[in-house]
Amino acid sequence: MSSASRDSVTVVLDWGTTSFRAFLVDREGSIVEAKESAQGIQSVPKGEHARVLSHALAAWRNEHGPLAIVAAGMIGSRNGWLEMPYVPTPAKAADFAAASRMIDLPEGDRVMFLPGLTDPTAFPFPDVMRGEETQLVGFGLEENIVVVLPGTHSKWAEIRNGRIERFRTFVTGEIFATLANHSFLSKVATAKANHATDAFAEGVALARDDSGKAGGLLTRLFAVRTGWLAGKIAPEEMKSRLSGLIVGWEFAEARAGGWFKDGDTIAVVGDDDMVEVYEAVARAFGVRLAAAPADAAIRGALAISGRGRR
Amino acid sequence: MSSASRDSVTVVLDWGTTSFRAFLVDREGSIVEAKESAQGIQSVPKGEHARVLSHALAAWRNEHGPLAIVAAGMIGSRNGWLEMPYVPTPAKAADFAAASRMIDLPEGDRVMFLPGLTDPTAFPFPDVMRGEETQLVGFGLEENIVVVLPGTHSKWAEIRNGRIERFRTFVTGEIFATLANHSFLSKVATAKANHATDAFAEGVALARDDSGKAGGLLTRLFAVRTGWLAGKIAPEEMKSRLSGLIVGWEFAEARAGGWFKDGDTIAVVGDDDMVEVYEAVARAFGVRLAAAPADAAIRGALAISGRGRR
């Protein structure tokens, strides 16, 4: 029974720190059904993950029989269900499969935990990712290209010769969120950031300025306040301005670090809204954009687990 | 009556966003008595400042007669008692006196509000300070030197030919506070930052590294997390490491902006604890330190108001 049902569908699990998401997909990678809740791993006591997961997926199990579940990302971290190792760069898709781990659950479900990825060449400590490596595999490792994965901790990865060659993290999303919600801005700024505004574009332009007259990031950030004091930035423009400046600064740092130069082609992989933001900044920095699938995480989970269409 | 009592003592008012501090000082600038409360300007409704101040200083008025009060800083801002103008750089002590404003209160007290300072050469918007200009006057404008004033919004100012020539703001304290309290660090980090630790010194060293291998600030900040994941940074070391890195990065940006070079002499002016932190970083960056008085704000208020010893 179980092997037949397990062949027809796969559950791709995206169980993060503050949210639970599960996708029931067919062998083509098409989403048959999705479940989402706010029960992130930080709200689940150690030892309770199997029970919570079994309960959440009961309806799918009733319909399809015992489930094959593929789990990447933070559920396999120190604060999650179990701590999976990190595969070192350079890494190809088969390396992730070889380092995965299977756990059989009481109801007959089988969970395949995927490992993370570490870049031991980072200074001063090895860099790490959990989940983005699966998105990179889903994007495809055939062409040599730099891929940006926006997020709280944005990643820049280089794909070369069918492998993830190296990557670096930028804490862009975290800096934006903490400043937008807890700084001098938070009492004045009103509207959410919107990348389709002049304020966002002006923030990007300020990040791109390399004449030296604007100072470094710590000084440029203050310009959101001084622009408001000077009557040049309205309260509803402040977060857009901040977003453009900080994401733009990520590109300025990446350019200085040799990740791209004017006219290069890169790809942006992730959720639609953040991809739009990053693509807007990439264009402002003179970068061409390669097409990228919206469902890279699901494609990657199927590819690494061998459960996709061959 | 009032003129006699007003000659003997001065009240220097430091009424900030979240705290009220007042110092009763003699003509030598010595503190006779101090009052402090948590009644910052943000907790006082518009129009109520005179009443709150009169009540807070009643005992001093009873003893010394109507008071001469000098007020610099945020009490003279848009969110304070009244919005004072900004004097433009380059500015000398007399320029602040000329732009000050007197208000007589019902009980006979007289408040002298000091203006702020703006640097119209900053890009893309004029830079601003409120209160630090008074500290700079109290430090003294006789020698040509760069002065650093640590804080939520740290200032670097150049004193030249008896004037404050230019200045720039760095949002160092704000970045540290928001990351220490609201980021990935906040759930793991334990002890407060301590500049007398190896972790702080290692953070400074990472900021100072200009080989390019460590990336920019957005990447270096992530090393506080990866160092913890690698078992190289203990939870109690994380905030010290972060503090050293961020204050160190302020110095790296200031050096890149031409504010100092190896072997230069600068001064650090402010509260004792932050002065110690900044002086530790300055030494790590190969800078010599000029002596600076701890009571620069009081000296400056007396000097600008003409109420100090001639």
Side-chain angles (χ1 to χ4, degrees):
Chain A
M1 175 188 89
S2 70
S3 62
S5 63
R6 277 190 187 151
D7 279 349
S8 60
V9 293
T10 303
V11 176
V12 177
L13 187 62
D14 174 14
W15 200 350
T17 305
T18 59
S19 68
F20 172 97
R21 295 198 302 171
F23 302 93
L24 187 72
V25 300
D26 63 23
R27 294 191 68 85
E28 309 296 317
S30 298
I31 296 173
V32 179
E33 204 179 335
K35 288 185 186 296
E36 185 161 2
S37 82
Q39 193 163 27
I41 57 177
Q42 71 183 14
S43 68
V44 178
K46 276 282 181 195
E48 293 294 304
H49 294 94
R51 191 184 56 74
V52 170
L53 181 64
S54 291
H55 181 76
L57 303 185
W60 292 351
R61 190 183 313 106
N62 288 342
E63 184 172 352
H64 299 280
L67 301 164
I69 303 163
V70 184
M74 294 307 287
I75 188 65
S77 72
R78 191 175 296 180
N79 298 320
W81 187 331
L82 51 78
E83 188 168 5
M84 291 295 295
Y86 295 102
V87 170
T89 56
K92 57 187 184 302
D95 297 332
F96 299 112
S100 67
R101 182 174 161 191
M102 298 286 189
I103 290 191
D104 288 315
L105 301 185
E107 287 86 348
D109 299 341
R110 171 171 287 182
V111 189
M112 179 184 196
F113 288 92
L114 303 187
L117 181 66
T118 183
D119 185 338
T121 70
F123 177 86
F125 304 114
D127 209 336
V128 293
M129 62 168 63
R130 283 203 186 278
E132 294 92 347
E133 73 295 326
T134 304
Q135 291 178 279
L136 288 166
V137 171
F139 169 77
L141 307 183
E142 295 75 27
E143 283 186 52
N144 295 347
I145 191 169
V146 165
V147 181
V148 185
L149 303 116
T152 302
H153 300 151
S154 174
K155 313 287 185 184
W156 287 63
E158 182 183 2
I159 295 171
R160 178 174 296 278
N161 301 329
R163 305 189 299 186
I164 306 170
E165 184 70 21
R166 64 178 183 125
F167 70 90
R168 286 297 179 276
T169 300
F170 299 72
V171 298
T172 312
E174 186 123 32
I175 292 277
F176 173 76
T178 56
L179 287 180
N181 298 321
H182 303 287
S183 77
F184 58 89
L185 289 176
S186 58
K187 290 188 189 69
V188 177
T190 53
K192 287 186 180 178
N194 178 352
H195 71 278
T197 59
D198 289 346
F200 182 89
E202 287 161 11
V204 176
L206 179 58
R208 211 176 50 216
D209 186 294
D210 54 5
S211 65
K213 64 187 175 182
L217 179 60
L218 294 175
T219 294
R220 289 180 208 218
L221 286 171
F222 197 59
V224 182
R225 181 178 174 83
T226 55
W228 168 68
L229 285 169
K232 305 290 188 182
I233 303 177
E236 64 268 25
E237 296 175 317
M238 292 175 85
K239 289 188 183 176
S240 293
R241 178 98 185 190
L242 179 71
S243 174
L245 173 59
I246 294 181
V247 178
W249 193 258
E250 176 180 332
F251 276 74
E253 287 193 0
R255 185 174 58 185
W259 285 94
F260 73 90
K261 58 183 190 306
D262 203 55
D264 279 0
T265 298
I266 68 173
V268 182
V269 172
D271 291 337
D272 284 352
D273 52 346
M274 287 310 294
V275 168
E276 281 183 22
V277 170
Y278 273 64
E279 289 192 341
V281 176
R283 281 188 289 269
F285 271 78
V287 168
R288 295 163 194 273
L289 291 160
D295 57 349
I298 290 171
R299 287 170 182 245
L302 292 183
I304 294 171
S305 66
R307 298 189 56 81
R309 184 167 51 94
R310 306 297 174 119
Chain B
M1 177 188 89
S2 70
S3 63
S5 64
R6 276 189 187 151
D7 279 350
S8 60
V9 291
T10 303
V11 176
V12 177
L13 187 62
D14 175 14
W15 199 349
T17 306
T18 59
S19 68
F20 171 97
R21 294 198 303 172
F23 302 93
L24 187 72
V25 300
D26 63 22
R27 293 190 70 84
E28 309 297 315
S30 297
I31 296 173
V32 179
E33 202 179 337
K35 290 185 185 296
E36 184 161 4
S37 82
Q39 193 164 25
I41 55 177
Q42 71 182 14
S43 70
V44 178
K46 276 282 180 193
E48 293 293 306
H49 294 93
R51 192 185 55 73
V52 170
L53 182 64
S54 291
H55 182 74
L57 303 185
W60 290 350
R61 189 183 314 106
N62 288 341
E63 184 171 353
H64 299 279
L67 300 164
I69 303 163
V70 185
M74 295 306 287
I75 188 64
S77 72
R78 193 174 296 181
N79 298 320
W81 187 331
L82 51 79
E83 187 170 5
M84 291 294 295
Y86 295 102
V87 169
T89 55
K92 57 187 185 303
D95 297 331
F96 299 113
S100 67
R101 181 174 161 191
M102 298 287 188
I103 290 192
D104 288 315
L105 302 185
E107 287 88 348
D109 299 343
R110 172 171 286 181
V111 189
M112 180 185 193
F113 289 92
L114 303 188
L117 181 67
T118 183
D119 185 338
T121 69
F123 177 86
F125 304 113
D127 209 336
V128 292
M129 61 169 63
R130 282 203 187 276
E132 294 91 346
E133 73 295 326
T134 304
Q135 292 177 278
L136 287 166
V137 171
F139 170 77
L141 307 183
E142 295 76 27
E143 282 185 53
N144 295 347
I145 191 170
V146 166
V147 181
V148 185
L149 302 117
T152 302
H153 300 152
S154 174
K155 313 287 183 184
W156 286 63
E158 181 183 3
I159 295 171
R160 179 174 295 277
N161 302 329
R163 305 188 298 186
I164 305 170
E165 184 71 20
R166 64 178 183 125
F167 70 90
R168 285 298 179 276
T169 300
F170 299 73
V171 298
T172 312
E174 187 122 32
I175 293 277
F176 173 75
T178 54
L179 287 180
N181 297 322
H182 303 286
S183 77
F184 60 89
L185 288 175
S186 58
K187 292 190 188 68
V188 177
T190 53
K192 287 186 179 178
N194 179 351
H195 71 278
T197 59
D198 288 346
F200 182 88
E202 287 160 12
V204 177
L206 179 58
R208 212 176 48 217
D209 186 294
D210 54 6
S211 65
K213 63 187 174 182
L217 178 60
L218 295 174
T219 295
R220 290 180 209 217
L221 286 170
F222 198 58
V224 182
R225 180 178 173 85
T226 55
W228 168 68
L229 286 169
K232 304 289 188 183
I233 301 178
E236 64 269 23
E237 295 175 319
M238 292 175 85
K239 288 188 184 176
S240 293
R241 179 101 185 185
L242 179 70
S243 174
L245 173 60
I246 294 181
V247 178
W249 193 258
E250 175 180 332
F251 275 74
E253 287 193 359
R255 186 174 58 187
W259 285 94
F260 74 89
K261 58 183 191 306
D262 203 55
D264 279 359
T265 298
I266 68 172
V268 182
V269 172
D271 290 338
D272 284 353
D273 52 346
M274 286 311 293
V275 169
E276 281 184 21
V277 170
Y278 273 64
E279 289 191 342
V281 176
R283 280 189 288 269
F285 271 78
V287 168
R288 295 163 194 273
L289 291 161
D295 57 350
I298 289 171
R299 287 171 182 245
L302 292 183
I304 294 172
S305 65
R307 299 189 56 82
R309 185 166 51 93
R310 306 297 173 117

